[in-house]
Amino acid sequence: MIRLNEIHEKILSYNPDADLDLVNKAYVFSAKVHNGQVRMSGEPYLIHPMEVAGILASLRMDIPTIAAGLLHDTVEDTWATIEEITDLFGKEVADLVEGVTKISNITFNTEVAKQAENFRKMLVAMAKDIRVIIIKLADRLNNMRTLEYMSEDKRVGIAKETLDIYAPIAHRLGIYWLKSELEDLSFRFTKPEMYYRLSKMVAKSRKEREKYVNEVEHILKETLEKEGMKVEVSGRPKHIYGIYQKMEKANLDFEQVYDITAFRVLVDSIKDCYQALGIIHTTWRPVPDRFKDYIAMPKTNMYQSLHTTVIGPKGERAEIQIRTHDMHKVAEEGIAAHWKYKEGKLVDAKEDVTFRWIRHLIEWQQELKDPESFMQFVKVDLFPDEVYVFTPKGDVIELPVGATPLDFAYAIHTDVGNHCASAKINGKIVPLKTPLKNGDTVEIITSPTAHPTRDWLRIVVVSKTKAKIRQWLSKEEREQSKKIGKELLASEFTKFNLDLSKFINSNEVDKYLMEANLKSIDNLYSQIGYGKLSPLQTIKHLIPIDKLQEHKPKSDSAISKLFKLVARKSSTAVKIKGMDDILVRFAHCCNPIVGDPIVGFITRGRGITIHTADCTRTLELDPERKIEAEWDTRSNILRPVKILVTGIDKPGLLANITNSISSLGVNIIRASVAPNRNQKSTLMFEIAVKDTHQLRELINSISKIKDVTNVERVMAGETA
Ligand code: MN
């Protein structure tokens, strides 16, 4: 238990002229009225107001606040009245006690309307005198420290309320240590299993961490001092709730998060901050996009610092925060760091920036009448890095700034995300990449045929969403590869006049799978499908060479070829030798049209990409993945192709060309005209053609038009 003279010492350390009489008087009164009362822990009640006063002294509060801390429960819990407090301690102390008493009667619960009303009351109390809220925070901290003595059903509720309301307020006031302690204590009671698991892991790795941290601290200090700098360096382990949040947010393992220890470099001036940053960045490689300049752009709670992450001296990522001693004080103490004492009295407290923030909040909130928008508003200001959006039913979804409708869809449910077809914001259809704004109502339109694509990974910002999309894609890749691999192997078997299906359950297969360290036949298929194993090599492993020679591959007879063609049920335009119904895409680099000689390449998990046989890009591709392909002459698909027409810039040229194209029954998808200098004109048409034959016909017919000087087909990659 903290003793009165310890509180005295604390106060005198930052306010040497303080008049301690008022504190002593409050102590005697509190002891008298609380006499005989006990806390849930069985200890005398007086311990609680004493501890609260001690916390307030740690926050460097003034004498009336500390006196009010000692008295904060007297009106609520004893026979003492507010009139009595006014008579004995004056109006200032009495107002503080009354303010705290009023806030204590506020209970937060889940109903938005009630919660909003209570929050409003709390803000009013804060705006009148911020010291009220600081007493309340000290009160809550001591209650959280002794929460285990509370009945079990109350614990979780109090802990949740602390996490929802009090920790964010401490954060907003910039009091880092108070915020962290409130969060850790709340975490322990709201998610006990996770809390104890993480704290065990932290304790277990502490020894080796300490060694690592000491080494890096030493190297950092030495490096900076060698350049003539005067620095203080320390490594700070993250608090448990901070670790948990980081794991959740970035979807990381404990090891990955714990690796990122924050190192702090304290220097004398702002100039030194940037100099230290320069030295650190030239000594160790900075991780891109991790540099933040909170000196030029302070956070809303006045936090200032440079943040960077480098690949540190031990090859591990190290987060480094560089700031001056003054900035450090603000970072740790927040609002309390600004307070100055003159002749024992607090000066200029009401001019504090944070205090101004609360006043503004009060002014604004008067315009927000309905509870939802008020709560939303308060939350936005308490958590500036989040956006709050609504479902059509009015539920609030919290997302990081920059989140898109796709993030929203996945936040609702993974299935909604995986089938997200389009989105509406406030009733209007928008692109899926539109960043959400506070207060948007978002509606997701799903379709059974919609599914994730690689592009989605670039649209979303929530790492959990990314992980879910990746999960879907890799499952899809596996399925595709399995299918392709099986088809490829089966067709290789057919070449040797063998039947794969008859062979699947043989001992040779099991033996080979074991040798090749493959778990199952599906595993083998997907390895072939990914292009990691070639079908020919596989078959050579599976079947003894002499037996294989009996079954020399022979070319299909004309009749069997014809038979196969007719038997095919495939609707795709491309035939891959021996395979049915395979997923095919056309390469953008060469954009093949029907009739062009073509080749296929197995693309990891995305089926087969068709290039023209002479496409230069194919030279860069792994020949192992090359596969024969030809056009299916029975299909009548149209393929887009671009043609470039050059001519003399005269009226009617465009019309003549367009007519010529239409007369051949060809559709124009797009046309653009770029007049050149010296009376020449360049026209680009994108048209849909049946095949090379039709394209040739078209080019011929356009060439014959008067004033046309040149017509050519454009390979997609060549155009700007
Ligand atoms: Mn209390």
Side-chain angles (χ1 to χ4, degrees):
M1 165 182 174
I2 190 165
R3 287 172 312 169
L4 186 61
N5 67 330
E6 288 175 72
I7 298 174
H8 287 171
E9 275 165 31
K10 272 194 186 191
I11 297 169
L12 292 175
S13 73
Y14 60 86
N15 186 2
D17 302 325
D19 174 13
L20 296 175
D21 285 352
L22 198 69
V23 173
N24 295 338
K25 222 166 108 186
Y27 167 75
V28 172
F29 184 83
S30 188
K32 192 173 82 185
V33 296
H34 285 301
N35 188 28
Q37 294 179 337
V38 287
R39 300 208 86 204
M40 295 295 244
S41 60
E43 293 173 311
Y45 195 90
L46 185 63
I47 290 182
H48 169 62
M50 290 283 283
E51 292 289 349
V52 170
I55 294 167
L56 289 168
S58 309
L59 287 164
R60 301 149 39 87
M61 297 303 296
D62 61 359
I63 295 296
T65 311
I66 291 167
L70 284 164
L71 299 168
H72 80 272
D73 278 333
T74 55
V75 175
E76 172 99 9
D77 295 337
T78 76
W79 45 260
T81 63
I82 204 72
E83 290 73 28
E84 217 171 336
I85 305 281
T86 316
D87 285 348
L88 287 166
F89 301 97
K91 195 170 175 332
E92 190 180 3
V93 174
D95 282 351
L96 291 172
V97 174
E98 195 177 20
V100 178
T101 307
K102 276 188 183 156
I103 293 181
S104 301
N105 291 329
I106 302 174
T107 48
F108 294 96
N109 58 26
T110 46
E111 277 173 75
V112 178
K114 260 193 185 164
Q115 201 184 1
E117 197 38 49
N118 290 333
F119 216 111
R120 205 190 289 260
K121 281 184 196 155
M122 183 115 118
L123 285 173
V124 172
M126 275 163 89
K128 267 197 201 142
D129 197 327
I130 196 163
R131 293 175 298 177
V132 169
I133 204 69
I134 292 177
I135 298 170
K136 190 62 202 164
L137 283 171
D139 178 40
R140 179 53 61 112
L141 178 60
N142 185 245
N143 286 337
M144 286 303 296
R145 283 174 176 172
T146 54
L147 194 62
E148 60 197 292
Y149 299 110
M150 275 292 203
S151 65
E152 214 176 320
D153 54 315
K154 281 192 179 160
R155 278 183 216 161
V156 175
I158 294 172
K160 268 204 174 125
E161 184 182 290
T162 305
L163 213 50
D164 285 348
I165 311 281
Y166 292 98
I169 289 176
H171 175 65
R172 199 58 181 74
L173 299 179
I175 313 168
Y176 178 80
W177 69 267
L178 183 55
K179 170 210 168 226
S180 313
E181 194 175 338
L182 286 177
E183 282 181 345
D184 273 359
L185 288 166
S186 306
F187 185 40
R188 183 173 137 202
F189 291 99
T190 51
K191 290 203 165 74
E193 255 171 64
M194 184 59 87
Y195 173 85
Y196 287 110
R197 226 185 81 204
L198 284 182
S199 36
K200 222 187 241 166
M201 290 200 264
V202 171
K204 219 171 109 189
S205 53
R206 182 163 289 148
K207 263 235 161 81
E208 32 185 308
R209 294 313 303 172
E210 265 167 16
K211 189 168 164 264
Y212 161 76
V213 167
N214 286 340
E215 277 176 28
V216 176
E217 269 176 31
H218 185 76
I219 297 170
L220 257 174
K221 196 168 155 66
E222 220 173 30
T223 309
L224 291 167
E225 279 173 349
K226 222 165 53 198
E227 302 290 328
M229 296 203 70
K230 202 175 131 237
V231 295
E232 232 172 79
V233 178
S234 61
R236 174 177 62 99
K238 286 193 165 57
H239 71 297
I240 297 199
Y241 188 68
I243 294 173
Y244 171 70
Q245 271 182 315
K246 197 147 196 172
M247 283 168 65
E248 280 288 286
K249 222 176 185 171
N251 210 28
L252 298 170
D253 294 335
F254 173 77
E255 283 75 20
Q256 289 169 291
V257 174
Y258 204 64
D259 270 358
I260 313 163
T261 306
F263 292 91
R264 202 180 290 137
V265 176
L266 299 185
V267 295
D268 289 334
S269 67
I270 291 181
K271 194 179 126 266
D272 287 352
C273 290
Y274 291 100
Q275 195 192 337
L277 179 78
I279 296 167
I280 287 166
H281 275 186
T282 46
T283 315
W284 298 288
R285 194 160 56 82
V287 177
D289 300 327
R290 290 302 300 267
F291 173 64
K292 295 218 173 73
D293 186 348
Y294 294 120
I295 291 180
M297 299 269 288
K299 286 193 186 182
T300 42
N301 61 15
M302 296 313 291
Y303 175 88
Q304 284 189 298
S305 193
L306 298 177
H307 285 194
T308 187
T309 301
V310 297
I311 304 301
K314 295 273 151 188
E316 279 183 87
R317 284 160 76 109
E319 191 184 313
I320 301 176
Q321 305 171 347
I322 308 162
R323 52 195 185 229
T324 65
H325 293 276
D326 284 347
M327 289 172 190
H328 182 56
K329 205 169 155 195
V330 174
E332 292 294 301
E333 299 176 15
I335 190 167
H338 302 293
W339 288 331
K340 290 187 188 74
Y341 289 92
K342 212 175 198 173
E343 288 153 14
K345 291 227 183 301
L346 191 60
V347 287
D348 290 344
K350 296 213 168 185
E351 291 311 305
D352 188 272
V353 183
T354 314
F355 195 72
R356 248 182 279 146
W357 161 72
I358 295 161
R359 294 191 95 91
H360 282 151
L361 202 56
I362 292 295
E363 282 162 26
W364 292 326
Q365 62 104 2
Q366 276 155 1
E367 289 159 29
L368 300 164
K369 293 287 177 238
D370 70 303
E372 271 91 2
S373 47
F374 171 71
M375 264 329 268
Q376 186 206 330
F377 184 80
V378 168
K379 279 189 169 171
V380 167
D381 229 72
L382 282 175
F383 309 93
D385 298 337
E386 315 283 339
V387 290
Y388 294 85
V389 294
F390 295 96
T391 67
K393 279 187 187 158
D395 293 330
V396 178
I397 303 284
E398 179 188 329
L399 292 164
V401 165
T404 61
L406 264 182
D407 288 301
F408 176 88
Y410 277 94
I412 301 286
H413 196 277
T414 307
D415 280 343
V416 176
N418 282 342
H419 292 107
C420 175
S422 59
K424 284 182 183 172
I425 295 180
N426 305 323
K428 256 202 207 148
I429 294 263
V430 294
L432 288 177
K433 62 175 188 213
T434 314
L436 300 176
K437 290 196 298 294
N438 272 309
D440 280 346
T441 297
V442 189
E443 190 185 337
I444 298 299
I445 296 118
T446 58
S447 140
T449 53
H451 60 77
T453 66
R454 260 165 210 285
D455 295 337
W456 285 17
L457 291 171
R458 269 179 278 131
I459 296 177
V460 300
V461 304
V462 181
S463 6
K464 257 194 175 164
T465 317
K466 264 186 200 161
K468 280 177 184 168
I469 294 171
R470 279 214 186 88
Q471 208 175 24
W472 193 95
L473 288 171
S474 69
K475 191 170 164 245
E476 182 66 13
E477 264 188 16
R478 260 197 318 277
E479 289 304 316
Q480 279 297 338
S481 308
K482 225 160 67 187
K483 199 171 146 195
I484 295 166
K486 190 175 179 182
E487 299 261 12
L488 285 170
L489 190 60
S491 86
E492 199 66 34
F493 266 76
T494 314
K495 273 191 208 159
F496 288 96
N497 251 327
L498 290 161
D499 188 350
L500 174 66
S501 59
K502 281 183 189 153
F503 202 71
I504 286 175
N505 296 315
S506 67
N507 288 335
E508 282 92 337
V509 172
D510 288 343
K511 221 177 94 196
Y512 174 63
L513 289 179
M514 254 202 346
E515 274 170 25
N517 211 2
L518 294 163
K519 282 191 204 86
S520 65
I521 188 87
D522 280 348
N523 234 221
L524 174 65
Y525 294 151
S526 57
Q527 292 287 307
I528 295 171
Y530 277 138
K532 284 179 186 158
L533 291 173
S534 94
L536 183 63
Q537 273 162 357
T538 308
I539 209 166
K540 280 179 179 163
H541 275 110
L542 287 173
I543 296 164
I545 193 82
D546 48 325
K547 203 177 161 202
L548 208 55
Q549 266 157 359
E550 290 169 30
H551 295 270
K552 277 257 171 72
K554 45 182 176 179
S555 53
D556 290 348
S557 69
I559 289 176
S560 79
K561 248 186 193 165
L562 191 67
F563 182 76
K564 271 187 185 164
L565 270 178
V566 176
R568 278 172 50 84
K569 54 187 185 297
S570 165
S571 57
T572 51
V574 173
K575 292 184 296 176
I576 304 298
K577 229 178 181 174
M579 277 194 268
D580 270 344
D581 197 23
I582 203 85
L583 189 64
V584 152
R585 312 181 320 140
F586 294 100
H588 291 300
C589 46
C590 50
N591 191 38
I593 61 172
V594 180
D596 282 333
I598 47 172
V599 287
F601 277 87
I602 301 168
T603 319
R604 205 191 133 134
R606 274 178 290 165
I608 287 162
T609 307
I610 301 298
H611 292 262
T612 60
D614 57 358
C615 175
T616 50
R617 186 69 63 84
T618 61
L619 299 173
E620 299 160 19
L621 297 169
D622 182 1
E624 284 279 306
R625 298 187 182 207
K626 192 167 162 177
I627 190 165
E628 279 175 54
E630 57 186 286
W631 294 100
D632 187 339
T633 43
R634 294 166 313 135
S635 85
N636 26 29
I637 62 149
L638 295 174
R639 294 275 307 141
V641 66
K642 284 181 187 158
I643 54 169
L644 193 69
V645 183
T646 326
I648 298 156
D649 191 11
K650 279 195 181 159
L653 178 66
L654 179 64
N656 287 340
I657 299 170
T658 333
N659 283 341
S660 167
I661 297 174
S662 310
S663 68
L664 283 166
V666 172
N667 279 330
I668 299 172
I669 304 167
R670 210 170 291 133
S672 60
V673 187
N676 284 358
R677 267 173 240 150
N678 51 35
Q679 259 122 48
K680 267 189 161 186
S681 177
T682 310
L683 301 95
M684 169 81 78
F685 295 90
E686 191 173 354
I687 49 179
V689 293
K690 273 206 299 252
D691 54 18
T692 43
H693 178 73
Q694 190 180 39
L695 181 65
R696 250 193 321 271
E697 218 175 29
L698 188 80
I699 289 178
N700 268 336
S701 129
I702 297 175
S703 318
K704 283 179 194 149
I705 296 171
K706 194 175 157 243
D707 298 328
V708 167
T709 51
N710 189 39
V711 189
E712 59 188 301
R713 172 180 173 188
V714 185
M715 296 311 206
E718 296 168 16
T719 57

